[in-house]
Amino acid sequence: QSALTQPDSVSGSPGQSITISCTGTSSDVGTYNTVSWYQQYPGKAPKLIISEVSNRPSGVSNRFSGSKSGNTASLTISGLQAEDEADYYCNSYTTSNTVLFGGGTKLTVL
Amino acid sequence: QVQLQESGPGLVKPSETLSLTCAVYGFSISTNYYWGWIRQPPGKGLEWIGSIYVGGNTYYNPSLKSRVTISEDRSKNQFSLNLTSVTAADTAVYYCARGHTVMITIAYWGPGTLVTVSS
């Protein structure tokens, strides 16, 4: 099974909005509303920021939002802040009863 | 508050078996969640290794399935990972975690432990 496809890097200026895509197939992202997104700082464990495509756990800023269209899920961060600079990963359940992660996207705040 | 803590050797020789344990605090592993392992090679992305569900049902990454065993010890409220025949490619930070539906919606992670495979 191949990893979900994410851009290696994205960047934006403070206050702007950015979107990170997560492309899978009809065997994972396209079939289930089970995409989660995680934020990871260097040397730290990932943190859940979006579950089930668009649900924000308690305590997560409403600047983070998620959506899905077909085989592609997206994470949007609005009002970009310096503290958002981190790595972001998506993951999804699959029809093979397994789980996939995306390759990760490095967000740079200019 | 749910807390997970990995433990095990930080150095394993090639061809040997990597063994890690995850102790869970503040929550029983005998509940309807999936408990699993995820690894991250230095400078690279996350890779799901496998998961175990209450009752002992296991789920493994097909690329690692022949070498992986995940087990639980309910009396100690912990679960374990065994990865056999390791090579340098298995060098990574290993995380234990609690999630849903095999291993998504991972709200709780251990801090991670670096395991280096080297002679």
Side-chain angles (χ1 to χ4, degrees):
Chain A
Q1 52 180 16
S2 301
L4 304 174
T5 300
Q6 296 182 233
D8 289 339
S9 63
V10 298
S11 63
S13 299
Q16 289 185 331
S17 293
I18 64 95
T19 296
I20 300 171
S21 60
C22 170
T23 300
T25 68
S26 57
S27 296
D28 38 71
V29 175
T31 292
Y32 302 107
N33 289 325
T34 58
V35 176
S36 301
W37 289 92
Y38 306 88
Q39 176 190 61
Q40 185 182 36
Y41 294 113
K44 299 294 186 182
K47 172 190 174 184
L48 178 68
I49 56 174
I50 295 288
S51 67
E52 296 174 310
V53 175
S54 59
N55 293 334
R56 242 185 349 267
S58 174
V60 174
S61 171
N62 59 10
R63 297 185 299 104
F64 294 91
S65 62
S67 62
K68 190 186 87 166
S69 177
N71 295 337
T72 298
S74 298
L75 171 71
T76 297
I77 308 175
S78 59
L80 210 55
Q81 298 179 1
E83 67 198 47
D84 299 330
E85 186 162 296
D87 294 327
Y88 292 85
Y89 294 90
C90 60
N91 91 323
S92 175
Y93 178 65
T94 82
T95 56
S96 300
N97 225 11
T98 62
V99 161
L100 289 174
F101 279 96
T105 299
K106 181 177 180 59
L107 169 61
T108 300
V109 180
L110 302 171
Chain B
Q1 175 74 331
V2 181
Q3 291 185 319
L4 294 85
Q5 181 66 57
E6 306 89 352
S7 63
L11 181 63
V12 181
K13 290 182 168 55
S15 80
E16 295 190 343
T17 296
L18 180 160
S19 296
L20 295 175
T21 296
C22 180
V24 180
Y25 304 98
F27 199 88
S28 171
I29 66 169
S30 302
T31 52
N32 295 348
Y33 284 95
Y34 291 79
W35 306 89
W37 295 91
I38 295 150
R39 70 180 183 180
Q40 185 171 35
K44 296 187 178 181
L46 301 169
E47 180 182 34
W48 172 69
I49 299 171
S51 304
I52 189 166
Y53 187 65
V54 60
N57 289 336
T58 52
Y59 308 81
Y60 298 130
N61 185 324
S63 67
L64 298 169
K65 187 173 183 177
S66 63
R67 300 194 290 132
V68 173
T69 302
I70 294 176
S71 60
E72 60 178 4
D73 185 337
R74 295 187 210 174
S75 67
K76 295 182 179 179
N77 209 44
Q78 62 188 32
F79 58 101
S80 300
L81 168 70
N82 274 2
L83 180 66
T84 63
S85 305
V86 297
T87 69
D90 295 309
T91 294
V93 173
Y94 285 76
Y95 296 100
C96 61
R98 188 194 88 173
H100 293 270
T101 316
V102 178
M103 196 49 61
I104 60 164
T105 312
I106 307 166
Y108 295 98
W109 299 71
T113 186
L114 174 63
V115 179
T116 301
V117 179
S118 174
S119 55

